[in-house]
Amino acid sequence: MNYLTYISVWDKLTAGQQEKLTETSKRKTFRKGEILHNGSADCLGLVLVISGQLRAYTISEDGREITMYRLFERDICMFSASCMMNSIQFDITISAEKGTDVLIIPPDIYKGIMEVSAPLANYTNEVISSRFSDVMWLIDKIMWKSFDKRLADFLLTEMEIEDTNILNITHEAIGNHLGNPREVVTRMLKYFVNEGLISLSRGTIEIKDRKGLEKIVG
């Protein structure tokens, strides 16, 4: 199967452009926890997710992490090809949250085609705009939402992603997603336990009252 057909404007490219992308793109597998891309100086190429799950995050000067967005099957990441976008410097790290298969598209090839293909240029701008919208949404949550709302929202999102009410995740990992110290996460989780919303065991969180969490999120 040619996974490049996941690009919505694939059929609008010429046969020659399709052939060039197909011949130069490489499939690669990453293990859980493996880093694909690390910072704006790294230019891996465009990453198209075939299967699995990726996490895009930024790291502060004191080493704290916060998740910017995630990538799932059929998603494409432009920021892993930062050298392709001279006017955009987005210092982001991308790692595999699960075993993940991706297709890596060479940035120089993609950029060359994008410069002569209006459909691909428009598609690229839409993807970048969507990611910036994700980032702005995150900033809005951090600035205006209390931590209990953000944590409840995170747990509900994890339930949807994993399709289970039993989450295998540590307090430290949640802190890395939300940009908060582990101790802050632990205190709020214990509050949720006292409210009957969840139960805790080592490395596991069980959602007991989904509607209660939804009420907190509002």
Side-chain angles (χ1 to χ4, degrees), residues 74-213:
R74 294 178 178 262
D75 282 340
I76 190 167
C77 186
M78 300 286 178
F79 295 118
S80 53
S82 54
C83 57
M84 189 185 76
M85 301 174 288
N86 297 329
S87 60
I88 300 176
Q89 291 298 316
F90 207 56
D91 204 13
I92 200 166
T93 300
I94 301 170
S95 65
E97 289 196 291
K98 301 177 179 179
T100 303
D101 284 338
V102 303
L103 197 67
I104 299 175
I105 306 169
D108 54 335
I109 300 296
Y110 187 95
K111 183 178 182 181
I113 295 173
M114 184 180 67
E115 288 174 345
V116 296
S117 169
L120 190 62
N122 291 335
Y123 168 78
T124 303
N125 289 333
E126 287 173 6
V127 172
I128 293 173
S129 296
S130 175
R131 292 301 168 215
F132 273 123
S133 293
D134 290 340
V135 173
M136 294 306 297
W137 177 74
L138 172 66
I139 292 171
D140 182 70
K141 284 206 303 181
I142 293 172
M143 290 182 65
W144 306 116
K145 284 194 174 183
S146 59
F147 183 64
D148 60 337
K149 292 180 184 291
R150 292 176 57 218
L151 180 55
D153 186 39
F154 175 81
L155 295 175
L156 291 169
T157 300
E158 286 297 294
M159 279 184 64
E160 293 181 8
I161 291 173
E162 302 298 337
D163 195 25
T164 177
N165 69 319
I166 299 176
L167 308 177
N168 296 312
I169 189 168
T170 65
H171 300 189
E172 183 177 5
I174 294 174
N176 286 341
H177 278 293
L178 300 179
N180 291 87
R182 177 183 57 80
E183 295 79 8
V184 174
V185 174
T186 298
R187 283 198 298 271
M188 189 58 69
L189 287 174
K190 287 180 178 178
Y191 169 75
F192 285 176
V193 170
N194 293 335
E195 294 295 306
L197 301 171
I198 65 172
S199 64
L200 299 175
S201 57
R202 188 173 181 83
T204 302
I205 300 171
E206 182 176 358
I207 310 300
K208 295 286 192 179
D209 184 0
R210 177 172 184 161
K211 290 188 180 299
L213 290 174

